[in-house]
Amino acid sequence: MAQVDEDEITPEQTETIIHFQDLTGIETMERCREILETHNWDLEVAVQTTLNEQDGAPSVFHQQHQQDERPPQVNNSPSDQRIFTVAHRRPRGILGWGYYIFLMPFRFVYSTFVDLFQFTLRLLRPDPRRNVTDPLGDVVKFISAYNLQFGSNHPVFYQGSYSQALNDAKRELKFLLVYLHGDDHEDTAGFCRATLSNDDVVEFINTSMLFWACNTNSPEGYRVSQALRENTYPFLALIVLRQNKMTVIARIEGPVGPEEFVNKLTRVMNDNEASLLTARAEREERSFNQSLREQQDAAYLESLKADQEKERKKREELEKVEQEEEERRNQEREEQRKKEEIARKKEEYKDKIPAEPESDNPDLVHIVLKLPSGKRIERKFLKTQSIKYLYYFVYCHDDTPDDFQIVTNFPRKVLPCAPSGDDDADPEPETFQQIGLGRSEMLFVHDNDA
């Protein structure tokens, strides 16, 4: 088996080639690759086109008139093909032979004249049967004409083109019997009335195979006759799937009676039943392999989705941990910044607090402050000094909370002594005297974060 250059294709394309090979039965992987590349690696279209071509149906990429011009291809001459040629009935008796010999010159002249006329006609104008425009219409017209001439007691005619009949026979793994109807042949009418109208023949064909027929005077019938190359009429060809190709396994040419007709077909069908069994087994195996591959693909996709979901959750958890860690670091940095800012302000405020006045100073204000912890601190100020120094004093104490207010007990009010942060923009806070504090006061420090 030819190998495909793995360096030039992706793993997905290699899998597509193997899948295509399983579905079509083509042994050479290089050929599978060429077909897939022709169809842009579209597996469904490539398989359908290949199977149609194997069945004898033209590619879906051909134009309609191209499909009509070429007859479907089958293996028309296998080595073991059975050919049944039935000779014309010979005359009996002296009278019969005398009549036959007497008419022989007239028959010769007539047939020669007809052949010359048809040859001349073909030279003057092309045979219209070579242009197939409506294969289905040709079949339907034949069936209607046949019913009018010979009645409706006949096997069920396949109402479709020859290509469709081949496709259905292959898909359903059935025998296909093709009948080419020659209007001008002397044995045609007798075969239709005696053999095709026989009840045993009708039942045998209807229960054992598909039956397709057409008039060779129509474009569809003519192109099939060119493909099967019949020698005389009535002509029948039995076709079946062998080695993944539709094959003509028997040809019946000439007049044949009902019993002989059924016996010949039965023998051929029995001899070739093994090919259908083999085809069924191969198709079941391909179907099983395809189903198994689909199950494996589904399981792989499910496993891949589960792994992707685990990876996603793991990534989200890691991102969450990293985010929490970043927030914690930001919080620590912010707390550290606040501590450094508080330490800086304490150093700044300590330098701004004026010296404590003497106890005998007449403008003395003695302030006692109770901290949230219950501890008491005290400090002396001058009543003419700004109460911002009281805030500085409390702020710089080690036991004071970072965010606080200084309030009086009764009546309870907050002393406006805290600076806003911009000393140049803030108006100078009121003095102790202006705020209404006496010579000795008891104040409370309130923790804003409590």
Side-chain angles (χ1 to χ4, degrees):
M1 181 180 295
Q3 297 296 321
V4 177
D5 190 356
E6 298 291 345
D7 295 334
E8 297 182 2
I9 59 177
T10 64
E12 291 79 10
Q13 291 174 335
T14 302
E15 180 68 20
T16 302
I17 291 176
I18 296 174
H19 197 180
F20 177 80
Q21 188 179 35
D22 290 340
L23 294 175
T24 60
I26 297 177
E27 295 183 357
T28 306
M29 293 186 70
E30 186 62 34
R31 176 57 181 161
C32 295
R33 177 183 174 182
E34 292 175 357
I35 296 174
L36 286 167
E37 288 178 343
T38 302
H39 296 83
N40 296 323
W41 293 94
D42 191 321
L43 179 62
E44 182 178 354
V45 173
V47 170
Q48 183 63 42
T49 301
T50 302
L51 293 180
N52 286 344
E53 291 176 349
Q54 291 173 351
D55 293 348
S59 170
V60 296
F61 295 101
H62 292 180
Q63 298 296 327
Q64 181 63 35
H65 68 87
Q66 293 176 325
Q67 294 180 356
D68 294 336
E69 289 173 358
R70 286 203 294 265
Q73 299 176 356
V74 297
N75 185 2
N76 196 29
S77 302
S79 59
D80 59 345
Q81 184 183 91
R82 303 287 294 276
I83 302 176
F84 302 99
T85 303
V86 183
H88 296 288
R89 291 184 293 272
R90 295 180 179 180
R92 297 180 180 179
I94 297 176
L95 184 62
W97 277 104
Y99 180 74
Y100 179 78
I101 294 173
F102 176 77
L103 292 179
M104 183 178 295
F106 297 99
R107 286 177 182 154
F108 176 77
V109 172
Y110 173 78
S111 61
T112 302
F113 176 77
V114 171
D115 290 342
L116 288 175
F117 177 76
Q118 291 178 346
F119 176 75
T120 304
L121 190 63
R122 283 196 294 269
L123 290 178
L124 296 176
R125 67 181 182 89
D127 192 339
R129 297 179 299 176
R130 295 183 180 274
N131 298 320
V132 181
T133 58
D134 185 12
L136 177 59
D138 293 342
V139 174
V140 172
K141 289 177 183 178
F142 163 74
I143 295 174
S144 177
Y146 187 97
N147 290 336
L148 288 175
Q149 184 176 0
F150 303 108
S152 59
N153 186 29
H154 55 73
V156 176
F157 291 120
Y158 181 94
Q159 298 200 20
S161 68
Y162 178 54
S163 300
Q164 292 171 338
L166 285 172
N167 287 332
D168 284 352
K170 179 174 183 178
R171 184 176 61 254
E172 299 174 15
L173 292 178
K174 287 185 175 182
F175 289 93
L176 173 64
L177 182 62
V178 175
Y179 168 59
L180 295 179
H181 184 85
D183 274 339
D184 302 328
H185 198 276
E186 58 183 346
D187 293 322
T188 296
F191 174 77
C192 294
R193 291 191 177 95
T195 301
L196 287 186
S197 297
N198 182 271
D199 292 337
D200 293 336
V201 172
V202 171
E203 182 180 1
F204 173 73
I205 293 179
N206 288 344
T207 57
S208 305
M209 62 194 70
L210 299 179
F211 185 48
W212 184 89
C214 196
N215 195 324
T216 55
N217 288 329
S218 67
E220 175 71 352
Y222 177 74
R223 76 165 182 174
V224 177
S225 72
Q226 294 298 300
L228 298 181
R229 300 189 299 274
E230 81 283 7
N231 295 313
T232 186
Y233 299 96
F235 174 82
L236 298 105
L238 188 63
I239 304 174
V240 73
L241 181 66
R242 290 203 320 190
Q243 298 178 351
N244 207 38
K245 189 175 184 66
M246 298 303 286
T247 305
V248 179
I249 58 175
R251 302 160 65 93
I252 300 177
E253 299 178 314
V256 59
E259 184 177 355
E260 182 183 4
F261 178 73
V262 172
N263 290 338
K264 292 179 184 297
L265 289 181
T266 301
R267 290 199 305 270
V268 176
M269 291 171 64
N270 290 338
D271 293 341
N272 289 271
E273 185 66 28
S275 64
L276 285 183
L277 294 177
T278 301
R280 291 190 184 99
E282 291 176 352
R283 183 170 295 182
E284 290 176 358
E285 182 179 1
R286 286 197 299 269
S287 177
F288 173 77
N289 291 337
Q290 182 179 358
S291 177
L292 180 61
R293 183 176 287 106
E294 289 175 353
Q295 293 176 4
Q296 292 174 343
D297 291 344
Y300 170 76
L301 290 176
E302 190 66 26
S303 176
L304 181 61
K305 289 180 180 179
D307 293 342
Q308 291 175 342
E309 182 65 17
K310 290 180 181 178
E311 185 66 23
R312 184 186 64 81
K313 290 183 178 179
K314 183 178 180 181
R315 186 168 57 252
E316 289 180 352
E317 291 176 357
L318 181 60
E319 291 175 354
K320 183 179 180 180
V321 170
E322 292 178 351
Q323 183 178 1
E324 291 176 350
E325 181 66 20
E326 182 64 22
E327 292 177 354
R328 184 187 63 80
R329 288 195 295 267
N330 291 337
Q331 185 177 0
E332 289 179 353
R333 285 194 292 267
E334 182 63 20
E335 292 177 354
Q336 181 64 27
R337 187 193 65 78
K338 288 181 178 180
K339 289 180 180 180
E340 293 176 355
E341 180 65 16
I342 291 173
R344 184 191 65 79
K345 285 186 176 182
K346 285 185 177 181
E347 292 298 326
E348 179 184 348
Y349 290 166
K350 282 181 181 178
D351 295 337
K352 291 182 179 181
I353 299 174
E356 189 173 8
E358 298 295 334
S359 299
D360 56 353
N361 192 313
D363 293 331
L364 183 71
V365 176
H366 183 244
I367 303 296
V368 178
L369 299 111
K370 187 175 182 181
L371 301 178
S373 62
K375 183 176 180 180
R376 296 190 179 192
I377 58 175
E378 54 183 271
R379 180 64 156 79
K380 301 182 185 66
F381 297 94
L382 295 176
K383 62 181 180 180
T384 57
Q385 291 176 336
S386 172
I387 61 172
K388 69 179 181 181
Y389 299 122
L390 174 62
Y391 180 86
Y392 293 166
F393 169 73
V394 175
Y395 189 88
C396 295
H397 199 278
D398 294 336
D399 295 329
T400 304
D402 296 335
D403 187 11
F404 63 91
Q405 291 178 329
I406 300 176
V407 298
T408 60
N409 188 24
F410 185 82
R412 181 177 177 83
K413 67 176 182 178
V414 178
L415 298 181
C417 56
S420 63
D422 188 355
D423 292 342
D424 296 333
D426 288 344
E428 185 69 19
E430 297 179 282
T431 63
F432 287 91
Q433 184 177 8
Q434 291 172 335
I435 206 69
L437 296 179
R439 187 173 178 82
S440 179
E441 293 286 347
M442 178 71 177
L443 302 176
F444 297 86
V445 178
H446 175 72
D447 189 352
N448 293 331
D449 296 329

